[in-house]
Amino acid sequence: MVPRLSTTVDLAPLLIVSSQVVFPFTELRYLSTVLLILATATVIRFVAREIRPKASRVLILGSGPMASKLIEQIEVPGSPRYAVAGIVDDEQPDADSPDAARWLGPCDRLADIVERVHPACIVVAVADRRDGLPLQSLLESRVRGILVEDALDFYERLTGKIAIEALRPSVLIMARGFRNHGATQTMARLVSMVVAAVGVMLAAPLLAALAIAIKLDSRGPVFFVQQRAGQDGRPFGLVKFRTMHPSAEARSEWVLDNLDRITPLGRWLRRFRLDELPQLVNVLSGEMNLIGPRPHPTSNHAVFANQIAYYGLRNSVRPGVTGWAQVRYGYANNLEEETEKMRYDLYYIKNRSLWLDARILLETVGIIIFGQGASEVRRPSPSRSVLLPAPSRRRDGSPAVRMWRGGTQEIGSMPLLANSTPARPSATRG
């Protein structure tokens, strides 16, 4: 567990006194400056936490799956930005429904309800808008300074991902963003090339040392090369340090199915993501960018395309060594988790910018420094159930994948992949 800054500040006097024996006076001044900066940062964090503004009250117009997902996300522990003021819907929830206590009245009473609860924001989550919305009341609320926002936009801003199960193609077509051409693409490529070139030069001694250590640690090649799907679906050989014992039999790609094959050194390399360093060569060769959706094995591409909505949009940009889904969610170990990661990937593709790339890079550095686990899912969705397209079927008509609340299970017709890094029917670690 990473020590908190406050612990460092508590030890500051002891560190200063003891350092007089080791450091000359000049170095002591620098040490004191660093400790002062740490103490100041700790105080700022404490004050910011204590004077955090009151949560904004959100009034949800409508009910159904999208409204439920919004409530679920708003009420995640440790997320005090918003509070649910209530639900407005023409259909009153059942008495045993968890939304029964939140229901404030029908849509035609919206003006009175707004006057009573004083929300900061009204989120429109009505599933079927053909019957009409209380437009006059919504307009009056908007003019009075209350933010009126579509549920999909609010969900995207709140979670940093896109609710693909509630998404219509027309919404994506008309949406702002998708700056994946012109100056944005050129600048991303230029930055990736420069950082990769500098990284290879600086890390050359470390790369050589790791290669020798891998050779001494276990039998097998130093590098593991696997065919991955790049931009526009073009295959390329992704290079990483080998972290597993070679396997003669075909196995799936999910990490949890291959834990017995991870070498002692490989476990350490995975923890600090050092096995990914050789992919800087893929960046220099033009097959990858530094930041982007992680490339999936080509053998899984068709499976994911059939099972995950809008999956083909991932091919519109170069894959990356790290990405938004990697730092916000982690690694996937079943089809459901891959679907959840697709929500983050689609958010990145839509909102791609140099600022977002810089944020991803900084978060990646933090993950590497603190050694977060390679197969760890850092930010799982509050609900483990997702809405997926109809699964593929066997020849006898039975489904190839069985889904339940909490996971997805391969039961037969998913293709097994050649020996590699992670494990089950589709995506490898990365």
Side-chain angles (χ1 to χ4, degrees):
M1 191 167 181
V2 180
R4 291 199 239 168
L5 290 178
S6 58
T7 304
T8 305
V9 175
D10 294 339
L11 296 176
L14 179 61
L15 290 174
I16 293 175
V17 173
S18 61
S19 63
Q20 293 179 359
V21 182
V22 181
F23 299 100
F25 179 73
T26 304
E27 283 73 8
L28 181 58
R29 278 192 314 177
Y30 291 127
L31 179 61
S32 302
T33 302
V34 171
L35 292 174
L36 178 61
I37 293 174
L38 291 176
T40 305
T42 303
V43 171
I44 292 175
R45 284 186 63 185
F46 174 78
V47 172
R49 184 168 60 248
E50 293 301 317
I51 65 173
R52 181 178 293 160
K54 188 177 180 180
S56 301
R57 292 168 61 80
V58 177
L59 184 63
I60 298 177
L61 183 62
S63 60
M66 193 63 219
S68 298
K69 286 185 69 69
L70 286 175
I71 294 172
E72 204 170 43
Q73 292 288 345
I74 291 173
E75 296 182 344
V76 169
S79 300
R81 292 173 55 194
Y82 299 99
V84 179
I87 295 175
V88 178
D89 193 65
D90 288 332
E91 185 175 344
Q92 184 175 357
D94 297 332
D96 57 348
S97 170
D99 294 334
R102 298 189 181 99
W103 186 74
L104 301 177
C107 293
D108 58 8
R109 300 292 305 277
L110 178 62
D112 296 335
I113 295 170
V114 169
E115 192 67 31
R116 188 167 75 248
V117 302
H118 302 290
C121 176
I122 300 175
V123 178
V124 181
V126 178
D128 188 358
R129 303 182 184 182
R130 290 174 296 181
D131 294 335
L133 296 172
L135 298 179
Q136 185 63 33
S137 297
L138 288 173
L139 180 59
E140 291 174 357
S141 299
R142 183 68 186 91
V143 171
R144 291 170 57 187
I146 299 174
L147 178 64
V148 179
E149 194 168 7
D150 182 79
L152 289 174
D153 294 334
F154 182 83
Y155 181 86
E156 179 181 340
R157 182 164 57 83
L158 176 67
T159 63
K161 57 184 178 181
I162 294 180
I164 58 177
E165 72 278 12
L167 201 59
R168 299 183 303 275
S170 59
V171 174
L172 287 179
I173 293 171
M174 303 298 292
R176 294 177 179 270
F178 295 106
R179 295 176 293 271
N180 299 313
H181 60 280
T184 300
Q185 186 179 37
T186 302
M187 187 61 66
R189 184 70 198 133
L190 179 61
V191 171
S192 295
M193 292 286 289
V194 171
V195 173
V198 173
V200 168
M201 288 188 293
L202 294 179
L206 175 61
L207 294 172
L210 291 177
I212 295 173
I214 292 170
K215 251 323 189 190
L216 296 175
D217 179 64
S218 61
R219 295 181 179 179
V222 170
F223 298 105
F224 168 73
V225 181
Q226 185 186 45
Q227 288 296 302
R228 300 282 183 105
Q231 189 173 19
D232 300 323
R234 291 190 295 268
F236 71 95
L238 180 138
V239 185
K240 49 170 58 177
F241 282 126
R242 179 179 59 82
T243 60
M244 292 185 177
H245 295 287
S247 175
E249 60 181 10
R251 288 201 184 189
S252 66
E253 289 295 335
W254 303 117
V255 179
L256 296 182
D257 289 340
N258 286 281
L259 292 179
D260 61 313
R261 293 175 52 213
I262 299 178
T263 64
L265 177 62
R267 197 174 305 278
W268 183 81
L269 292 176
R270 283 168 167 267
R271 179 180 178 184
F272 294 96
R273 311 300 170 89
L274 296 178
D275 60 320
E276 310 282 3
L277 285 177
Q279 290 167 44
L280 295 176
V281 175
N282 290 118
V283 175
L284 293 175
S285 64
E287 297 156 338
M288 299 176 66
N289 272 350
L290 195 64
I291 310 296
R294 286 294 294 165
H296 287 151
T298 54
S299 52
N300 297 333
H301 205 260
V303 176
F304 286 166
N306 290 331
Q307 296 289 334
I308 303 176
Y310 304 103
Y311 179 79
L313 295 180
R314 294 176 97 257
N315 296 334
S316 62
V317 298
R318 278 189 178 91
V321 177
T322 184
W324 183 242
Q326 301 304 111
V327 300
R328 304 297 289 183
Y329 189 80
Y331 288 98
N333 284 295
N334 56 48
L335 185 59
E336 179 184 356
E337 291 177 357
E338 285 292 355
T339 304
E340 182 68 12
K341 287 184 64 175
M342 181 62 200
R343 305 171 200 271
Y344 289 100
D345 284 332
L346 191 56
Y347 175 91
Y348 172 78
I349 294 169
K350 179 185 175 185
N351 299 284
R352 183 184 182 192
S353 67
L354 287 178
W355 297 114
L356 182 56
D357 284 357
R359 178 179 176 180
I360 294 170
L361 186 58
L362 288 175
E363 290 195 29
T364 301
V365 171
I367 291 171
I368 293 173
I369 291 175
F370 297 131
Q372 294 188 12
S375 59
E376 177 184 353
V377 177
R378 282 178 293 284
R379 302 194 184 196
S381 61
S383 172
R384 306 302 296 166
S385 61
V386 292
L387 302 178
L388 297 175
S392 59
R393 309 188 74 83
R394 295 196 184 111
R395 293 180 180 178
D396 60 2
S398 60
V401 176
R402 178 169 67 247
M403 288 174 286
W404 70 92
R405 187 176 182 82
T408 308
Q409 183 182 28
E410 179 197 3
I411 58 177
S413 72
M414 287 283 194
L416 293 178
L417 308 176
N419 105 62
S420 80
T421 336
R424 209 172 314 192
S426 323
T428 81
R429 144 188 162 55

